[in-house]
Amino acid sequence: QGRVTWNAEDYGNVEELSNKYYRLLAGVYGALFMTAFHILLGTSTSVPDEVDGRSIHYKQYDAKFYQCGAFVIGRLVSTIPQRTIEITAFGIPLYWLVGLDPTAGSFFIYLAILVCYTIGLKMMFGILAQVLPKKANVQGVGTFLVLLLTLFGGFIVYPATVPNYYIWLYWANPMSWVMQGLLSNEFTSSKYANVGIPQDYFLTIRGFQPGPQWIGYCFVYMIPFSLLCA
């Protein structure tokens, strides 16, 4: 019953079509937002533990055991396999339970976006563990970041309604780019090609950018973001 499905032939009047559109949008938007939020929350709560390992890094660096660049690269590379396994285990059941586009292309793009997003968040929150003195400080600033990213992620406050003086927070937010990429991946797929309504409608109705090119733009933002935060 939780799957989001569509068959226009099953609906004979405008009211039923409108209700179906509403349930479709609410289901997909809600599921993808909770996916991004779950990853954000899980990443933020694990960061304070990195403070304990900071003294080891300082000791080895002072002893000229390795350079900071080697540590940063090693930390980034070692994160990829673990995060990929976690996202695969989390993303596969969710994708099919929600009933997103069943094509292989859409599915693997979905996983790739989530992997990039998870690594980017890990690197971003890792900065807090490196520059703040105590776990309490990391947890406090991290909680504020979670609030900020969630508020301007495109779900709670629609992109079209963000005030001009706050719009930079939306465009600088990795969560908003991931939401754009995931929604574009879903609503520009062949699943919505013959429903009697332009596919761009599903994106523009809540202020997101239309067109499949925004899937690529999501990667263009997230990959440099992860490298910059590393």
Side-chain angles (χ1 to χ4, degrees):
Q1 294 180 346
R3 292 174 60 85
V4 179
T5 58
W6 172 266
N7 185 356
E9 296 178 356
D10 294 339
Y11 300 90
N13 58 64
V14 175
E15 183 178 358
E16 290 179 350
L17 283 171
S18 299
N19 291 335
K20 182 61 178 181
Y21 279 130
Y22 177 79
R23 293 196 298 270
L24 176 69
L25 288 172
V28 174
Y29 273 85
L32 294 180
F33 168 74
M34 290 306 300
T35 301
F37 180 72
H38 176 83
I39 295 172
L40 172 64
L41 199 60
T43 304
S44 67
T45 55
S46 65
V47 171
D49 294 334
E50 294 187 18
V51 176
D52 295 331
R54 191 168 57 188
S55 59
I56 299 174
H57 165 61
Y58 290 157
K59 179 180 179 180
Q60 294 177 340
Y61 176 75
D62 291 338
K64 307 299 181 181
F65 188 71
Y66 53 67
Q67 298 178 345
C68 282
F71 171 77
V72 170
I73 295 173
R75 185 167 70 104
L76 176 61
V77 173
S78 64
T79 299
I80 296 175
Q82 178 185 357
R83 298 300 170 184
T84 301
I85 294 172
E86 290 177 354
I87 289 302
T88 302
F90 169 72
I92 289 177
L94 179 66
Y95 192 90
W96 301 109
L97 284 173
V98 174
L100 300 176
D101 179 46
T103 61
S106 295
F107 172 68
F108 286 110
I109 289 174
Y110 161 85
L111 288 182
I113 290 175
L114 293 186
V115 169
C116 290
Y117 176 56
T118 305
I119 294 174
L121 290 181
K122 180 68 174 178
M123 295 298 104
M124 182 187 70
F125 283 108
I127 295 175
L128 302 183
Q130 296 299 321
V131 301
L132 296 177
K134 298 179 180 179
K135 286 185 178 182
N137 303 126
V138 174
Q139 189 172 11
V141 176
T143 301
F144 175 73
L145 279 179
V146 169
L147 174 63
L148 204 62
L149 295 179
T150 304
L151 186 61
F152 291 97
F155 181 79
I156 295 177
V157 179
Y158 296 165
T161 62
V162 176
N164 292 332
Y165 47 86
Y166 281 141
I167 196 64
W168 65 273
L169 288 172
Y170 171 78
W171 290 112
N173 187 348
M175 189 177 190
S176 68
W177 283 95
V178 166
M179 284 292 294
Q180 175 71 65
L182 291 174
L183 291 168
S184 296
N185 182 52
E186 175 65 14
F187 289 126
T188 61
S189 66
S190 58
K191 179 179 179 180
Y192 303 90
N194 299 306
V195 298
I197 190 171
Q199 289 178 269
D200 291 346
Y201 166 82
F202 296 104
L203 293 166
T204 57
I205 191 175
R206 294 200 177 188
F208 286 91
Q209 302 298 319
Q213 69 271 16
W214 286 90
I215 302 173
Y217 296 159
C218 173
F219 289 106
V220 169
Y221 178 84
M222 286 305 306
I223 294 175
F225 176 82
S226 301
L227 295 175
L228 181 64
C229 291

